[in-house]
Amino acid sequence: MTQPQHPYDHGGDGRQIQLETHGLDVIGDADRKGTPRTLFWPWFGANVAVLGLSYGAFALGFGISFWQALAAGVLGILASFLLCGLIAVAGKRGSAPTMVLSRAAYGVRGNRLPSAVSWILTVGWETALASLATLATATVFSRLGWGGGTETKAVALLVVAALTVVGGVMGFDLIMRIQTVITVVTGVLTLVYVALVADHIHWSTVSAIPAGSPQQFIGALVFMMTGFGLGWVNAAADYSRYLPRGSSSRGVIGWTTFGASAAPLLLLVFGLLLAGSSERLSEAIAADPIGALTTILPTWFLVPFALVAVLGLVGGAVLDIYSSGLALLSAGLRVPRYLAALVDGMLMIAGSIYIVFFGGAFLGEFMGFLTTLGVPIGAWCGVMLADLALRHRDYDEGDLYRPDGRYGDVPALPLVLTVGATAIGWGLVTNTAADRLSWQGYLLGPLGLGGRTGQWAYANLGVLVALALTFLGTLLLGRRRVRAQEALPPSPAPAPGTYGA
């Protein structure tokens, strides 16, 4: 009797999982499969990590009350993942990776700039997630008396890196299978964790936290946006590109947004209650976001907790390494996709070694990373959203790979808007915990916002300003260019070997 196939298995040759050979190329009709509903699995699996609990402490760290932190978290998570859902529509309309579809706005070679930024962001994220998984494992082993020192960290890092790199190198089909398993296992074990530590919540303590200023609230809101959806927008179409062209756009938006935000919303609420109940726990999370959560667990659940922590973080890292490989190709590297993912995996391991064995406090560096790269990614997102809104037709697949095609080579408008908005945005963000970023915030004084030590210094307005400036600029100035592009007849399909253009 023939066994039924998983929806993402290959058929015909008897093998269930194969190395994905697709790189920057357009996915052919024969390989497009699934429905918008299937987008739930990769997005939920990538965001169900227990790191979401730690964001409760991160939000309260802005000096705001529980209700303010809850509002900032809910708004930040939903709004930022809605942006992912909107950009995911481009995937089913063009069936190419996100940073290839971005060429319609930036030109074929002009798009290398945002591709390089996207690559740095995704490599940074996968490094942070792999490091956290390693540190969490070491903390659990230390509490159990099984070690937790250098040897334990080294072995844990090897295991985490192997899981992440194999998934990223093998590609789409294995990732979809992995994410389905991660979703179920981590979802169940996270609920068990919640039940075990619920008695550590003290509502009287949580409700007594004083409210913060509007500027502090905005700072928490922007941090939640950069920590969640804005960290994924540059990869949002990498999975929807496998859907048939006739798939519902509303379904793509809805299932992407729902799948990505469901777990973080629930984890945030519980994380806020835990961190708000104990100032000591909240401070510990800033140094070790995952390991600190083990300090309130019974010993018998430490091993299952290590499993849920590692799997949840690996789920996000796998998607990051897959998309970082695609971004590296789009930035100009001419190698097969799986080799690009392997290169990124080696960089992830090197970065994780630095963080795990030589790094300092996690939270300050993490916030500096998010806000600094959040500005140019927000600027790119504004251009991409406006460009997508202006288009009434599907992308011309051939011209996405031709510098002399309708999308152009290095158009000035999107690049000027992006660079200008980034320069303005960096002038409106600060991060005192990361000394190397002390040059930021240079516009806070001239614009009368109190300088680098004023109330607006930690609102991180630059991310929102960059996104708004490029969105409005593209919407107002790019309409004629898009209309001229869509008036041209379809171009021939790209010749084999030109997808790396």
Side-chain angles (χ1 to χ4, degrees), residues 107-487:
V108 174
R109 287 192 294 179
N111 189 61
R112 290 181 179 179
L113 175 62
S115 294
V117 175
S118 173
W119 175 70
I120 295 171
L121 178 65
T122 46
V123 170
W125 261 111
E126 68 201 44
T127 301
L129 295 175
S131 301
L132 285 174
T134 302
L135 292 172
T137 302
T139 300
V140 169
F141 274 56
S142 178
R143 279 204 62 196
L144 289 170
W146 297 350
T150 301
E151 295 81 4
T152 302
K153 292 177 181 177
V155 173
L157 179 56
L158 285 175
V159 173
V160 169
L163 291 172
T164 304
V165 172
V166 169
V169 168
M170 289 298 293
F172 180 82
D173 288 319
L174 180 58
I175 287 174
M176 296 299 283
R177 293 295 296 269
I178 289 174
Q179 296 298 72
T180 303
V181 173
I182 288 176
T183 296
V184 175
V185 175
T186 55
V188 171
L189 291 180
T190 300
L191 290 176
V192 176
Y193 175 89
V194 168
L196 289 174
V197 301
D199 60 344
H200 288 268
I201 294 174
H202 306 290
W203 176 246
S204 59
T205 304
V206 175
S207 60
I209 299 174
S213 67
Q215 294 90 338
Q216 291 169 309
F217 172 81
I218 294 173
L221 170 64
V222 173
F223 177 76
M224 300 303 284
M225 292 182 68
T226 55
F228 287 100
L230 280 179
W232 288 110
V233 287
N234 54 312
D238 291 352
Y239 305 94
S240 56
R241 67 180 176 136
Y242 278 88
L243 293 176
R245 289 188 188 275
S247 301
S248 164
S249 294
R250 289 186 178 181
V252 170
I253 296 170
W255 283 106
T256 298
T257 306
F258 174 59
S261 61
L265 287 172
L266 295 174
L267 292 170
L268 171 70
V269 174
F270 197 76
L272 285 171
L273 293 171
L274 277 180
S277 299
S278 171
E279 185 176 349
R280 182 178 179 181
L281 175 63
S282 187
E283 292 174 352
I285 288 174
D288 186 1
I290 306 299
L293 297 173
T294 68
T295 59
I296 54 176
L297 275 175
T299 303
W300 66 267
F301 192 70
L302 288 176
V303 171
F305 178 83
L307 177 64
V308 69
V310 169
L311 284 179
L313 294 168
V314 166
V318 166
L319 261 67
D320 275 318
I321 197 171
Y322 178 77
S323 293
S324 69
L326 294 174
L328 186 57
L329 296 180
S330 187
L333 183 66
R334 290 177 173 269
V335 298
R337 182 206 60 79
Y338 54 87
L339 286 182
L342 188 60
V343 168
D344 290 345
M346 298 301 103
L347 291 174
M348 177 195 73
I349 293 172
S352 299
I353 289 173
Y354 170 76
I355 293 174
V356 171
F357 297 104
F358 306 103
F362 174 82
L363 184 56
E365 298 293 335
F366 184 57
M367 291 180 68
F369 164 73
L370 289 181
T371 53
T372 300
L373 289 183
V375 171
I377 286 297
W380 170 86
C381 184
V383 171
M384 188 70 177
L385 287 172
D387 183 81
L388 184 61
L390 290 172
R391 297 188 183 278
H392 300 300
R393 299 182 181 178
D394 288 346
Y395 295 97
D396 186 279
E397 297 172 356
D399 281 350
L400 287 171
Y401 303 89
R402 298 188 184 94
D404 58 349
R406 74 189 66 206
Y407 301 124
D409 191 12
V410 189
L413 176 63
L415 292 171
V416 169
L417 285 173
T418 301
V419 173
T422 299
I424 294 172
W426 278 339
L428 296 172
V429 299
T430 61
N431 193 290
T432 56
D435 293 338
R436 67 177 63 92
L437 300 177
S438 59
W439 56 270
Q440 295 176 346
Y442 44 80
L443 292 178
L444 292 168
L447 293 179
L449 297 175
R452 292 186 174 94
T453 58
Q455 283 189 314
W456 287 101
Y458 308 106
N460 291 323
L461 289 175
V463 177
L464 299 179
V465 169
L467 193 157
L469 286 175
T470 54
F471 178 80
L472 293 175
T474 303
L475 209 60
L476 293 173
L477 303 176
R479 188 178 303 274
R480 181 178 298 178
R481 176 171 176 261
V482 171
R483 292 293 172 266
Q485 292 172 355
E486 294 192 330

Side-chain angles (χ1 to χ4, degrees), residues 53-71:
L53 292 168
S54 300
Y55 274 86
F58 298 162
L60 291 174
F62 281 85
I64 56 180
S65 69
F66 168 82
W67 293 111
Q68 286 178 311
L70 179 62

